[in-house]
Amino acid sequence: MSRYRVPPVLRPRLTPKYVASSIVAIYVVYCWLWGMPLLSSNLPAYTGPHSVGTIDIESPCDGRKTSDVKFKSTGEPAFLLETVLFSVYYPAVKNAKSNKPKHLWVPKPLAVTAEGYAKFAHISNFLTNSIFTVALWGLAGSTTIPAKVDVPLREVAPSFEFTEHGQGKPEAGNDAFPVIVFSHGMASSRTDYTHFCGELASRGYVVAAIEHRDGSGPGSMIMNVDGTERPLYHFGLGDLQHDESFDTPELKQAQLDFRQAEIEETIRVLKAINDGSGATIFEMNPRTEGEHLATWEGKLDMTNVTISGHSYGATGALQALKGAPCPERPFHGGLILDPGKSSGPLNHDIDVPILVIHSNSWSKKHSVFFGSPHFDVVKDLVADVNKRGKAAWFMTSLGTSHPSVTDAPLIEPTLLSWTTGSTINVYDGVDVYVNVTEEFMIYQKAHRRTGLLALEVTHPDYDSAANGTQQMPEAYQRFWQIHVAPDAA
Ligand SMILES: *[C@@H]1O[C@H](CO)[C@@H](O)[C@H](O)[C@H]1NC(C)=O
Ligand SMILES: *[C@@H]1O[C@H](CO)[C@@H](O)[C@H](O)[C@H]1NC(C)=O
Ligand SMILES: *[C@@H]1O[C@H](CO)[C@@H](O)[C@H](O)[C@H]1NC(C)=O
């Protein structure tokens, strides 16, 4: 007679992931027992001059396959691009009323995301999936994104005026909104950076936040035009049929290639909207949003797009800049936040202006990256772009940690500062990134150096002891160290 078998979840292997997920589970149960709200804060309102609209666009792709690797379980190709999904944040017409409910921060169905996180922790089974679903529901299940869903896009001013903190001069001949495409990091999804994206939209930018289905996120529902849908969960090497040569670095490259294909498909859909096919994109959108897209014709500056990303997404954004600008990737600037330390080599072959920002913890923690210190690799990369005659900056934002630019610290400030060691006020944490992004957009479009980007190098190397420098105007001292900047013109 076989002995009673203890289910895997009750036979803890003390891996960091198991411990982390247990802490989360215990925290949730604790809050529930004591009737404490799990959420200490809702997402704040956006502060820019425009109200912010948002729509989810999912659009069919013609079955583009970026790798031949298949899933073990089904034999289906793992890197087949059926649809592309992204959320657009945009400046909306004033006082527009939405008749659709606000988007949930954790997209429905919640169980897909929850099960994905459980898979991440390598403890996916019925019991843990239920615990994760309840935990996620308790943590953020009712949190909504404050943007108005599917309201009309604002009329573009005859000449788009860069806000530049009130001092901007209108640039002649540019009648469309500047567009930023944003790529998320590992274990994330399109809704993890909504405050950063929405805040930029409130200041006049159109931001498309992609949801990558490369297996690096927790989970995502793929929805087709014919109404069928299929969940895609986090997957790793063990879930794939592969020969010996396909190892972890190969998997990462396959994921980055898939991410690049999704970036290109996002550009294709945005171009179609700008070219007047918005009504078709709306009709084919299984998420049933975008009823005003027909009026977006000519409103997006698709000739001068900015690619941006965080972590894995920053590595992908650098890869997408190889050969750019080109028709599939019309990128004239790159905003690179915490480029990955374990997502494969970083592309140095870049011929457009870039701004690379490290969070404080990213610069502070010494890590070896393909045989050299990661910081030095990034610094060389940025210096190379300057040598090519394109402006490039590398700086560290003081007091921040890796997740500071995400929504997580805004929703759970205490938990996040406790686990990641960030010391900056959580609102400033996102604000510093948004402010300098605006300055970068002014540079990309008008070649004018303003604010922080007008300053010279203050700290060639990251200095963990310095809290700022007299070399900078006071407003910046607490927040920045500049490691590389273009020579003064
Ligand atoms: C961002 O810019 C605004 C407008 O200039 C300024 O009031 C605010 O203090 C800045 N935020 C940070 C964190 O520097
Ligand atoms: C587009 O980008 C190029 C290259 O950075 C720049 O020279 C040009 O001024 C931009 N054009 C517009 C219309 O913004
Ligand atoms: C950093 O700030 C603290 C407190 O404001 C001050 O005592 C210290 O001297 C400063 N350190 C440097 C290197 O400026």
Side-chain angles (χ1 to χ4, degrees), residues 28 161 169 211 221 225 260 263 280 309 317 326 330 376 378 407-408 453:
V28 169
E161 188 171 346
K169 279 204 229 108
E211 178 139 314
M221 190 60 93
V225 193
Q260 177 162 333
I263 290 171
T280 315
C326 57
D376 295 353
V378 175
D407 291 343
L453 301 190

Side-chain angles (χ1 to χ4, degrees), residues 9 21 24-25 28-29 114 125-137:
V9 67
S21 40
V24 171
V28 169
V29 172
N125 62 32
F126 177 74
L127 182 62
T128 53
N129 292 350
S130 311
I131 292 175
F132 271 77
T133 306
V134 172
L136 204 59
W137 174 78

Side-chain angles (χ1 to χ4, degrees), residues 231-248:
L232 179 100
Y233 297 109
H234 167 71
F235 62 82
L237 216 46
D239 301 303
L240 302 172
Q241 277 177 20
H242 56 87
D243 52 32
E244 303 233 317
S245 69
F246 194 83
D247 51 6
T248 299

Side-chain angles (χ1 to χ4, degrees), residues 6 66 132 261 346:
V6 184
T66 60
F132 271 77
L346 303 175

Side-chain angles (χ1 to χ4, degrees), residues 174 301 304 332 444-445 447:
N174 190 358
D301 182 0
N304 224 332
H332 286 264
Q444 184 189 324
K445 299 282 178 162
H447 288 258

Side-chain angles (χ1 to χ4, degrees), residues 465-468:
N467 355 329

Side-chain angles (χ1 to χ4, degrees), residues 108-394:
K108 274 190 172 158
L110 195 103
V112 171
T113 309
E115 191 170 334
Y117 276 119
K119 284 214 161 72
F120 250 106
H122 293 300
I123 51 168
S124 175
N125 62 32
F126 177 74
L127 182 62
T128 53
N129 292 350
S130 311
I131 292 175
F132 271 77
T133 306
V134 172
L136 204 59
W137 174 78
L139 273 168
S142 60
T143 301
T144 55
I145 300 165
K148 295 178 190 173
V149 175
D150 217 356
V151 290
L153 178 69
R154 183 180 180 265
E155 282 295 319
V156 192
S159 268
F160 183 79
E161 188 171 346
F162 289 104
T163 49
E164 200 189 324
H165 313 320
Q167 311 150 20
K169 279 204 229 108
E171 289 303 321
N174 190 358
D175 291 350
F177 287 111
V179 175
I180 301 173
V181 171
F182 187 86
S183 169
H184 63 73
M186 177 82 80
S188 304
S189 71
R190 71 188 191 287
T191 60
D192 281 317
Y193 304 80
T194 68
H195 190 67
F196 177 70
C197 298
E199 188 62 30
L200 283 167
S202 80
R203 302 184 191 192
Y205 302 91
V206 171
V207 186
I210 305 180
E211 178 139 314
H212 292 295
R213 274 80 167 262
D214 61 337
S216 72
S220 180
M221 190 60 93
I222 298 173
M223 295 170 73
N224 293 298
V225 193
D226 61 9
T228 56
E229 50 185 45
R230 145 180 105 80
L232 179 100
Y233 297 109
H234 167 71
F235 62 82
L237 216 46
D239 301 303
L240 302 172
Q241 277 177 20
H242 56 87
D243 52 32
E244 303 233 317
S245 69
F246 194 83
D247 51 6
T248 299
E250 290 265 334
L251 171 62
K252 287 187 173 156
Q253 191 54 54
Q255 290 181 316
L256 287 169
D257 292 345
F258 192 76
R259 284 166 164 253
Q260 177 162 333
E262 290 177 305
I263 290 171
E264 292 174 1
E265 291 296 319
T266 302
I267 291 289
R268 181 184 59 74
V269 174
L270 291 173
K271 272 187 174 165
I273 292 169
N274 192 52
D275 291 345
S277 303
T280 315
I281 301 293
F282 169 54
E283 277 159 29
M284 296 178 78
N285 183 3
R287 309 219 167 220
T288 65
E289 290 176 6
E291 56 182 284
H292 306 285
L293 280 178
T295 65
W296 288 37
E297 183 170 358
K299 298 270 191 81
L300 307 176
D301 182 0
M302 293 309 295
T303 59
N304 224 332
V305 180
T306 308
I307 180 73
S308 66
H310 179 238
S311 203
Y312 209 176
T315 305
L318 287 171
Q319 172 170 322
L321 283 173
K322 194 177 182 129
C326 57
E328 306 79 50
R329 284 166 283 123
F331 303 132
H332 286 264
L335 177 68
I336 310 298
L337 311 176
D338 280 358
K341 288 186 173 179
S342 55
S343 42
L346 303 175
N347 168 43
H348 284 232
D349 185 4
I350 292 164
D351 208 23
V352 299
I354 58 168
L355 167 62
V356 180
I357 303 175
H358 269 190
S359 63
N360 196 57
S361 48
W362 215 240
S363 283
K364 190 171 182 178
K365 189 169 181 298
H366 180 87
S367 24
V368 178
F369 188 71
F370 298 97
S372 308
H374 178 270
F375 185 93
D376 295 353
V377 172
V378 175
K379 194 174 158 183
D380 288 347
L381 186 157
V382 175
D384 282 350
V385 178
N386 275 311
K387 275 187 209 135
R388 284 191 174 194
K390 298 285 153 41
W393 290 264
F394 177 28

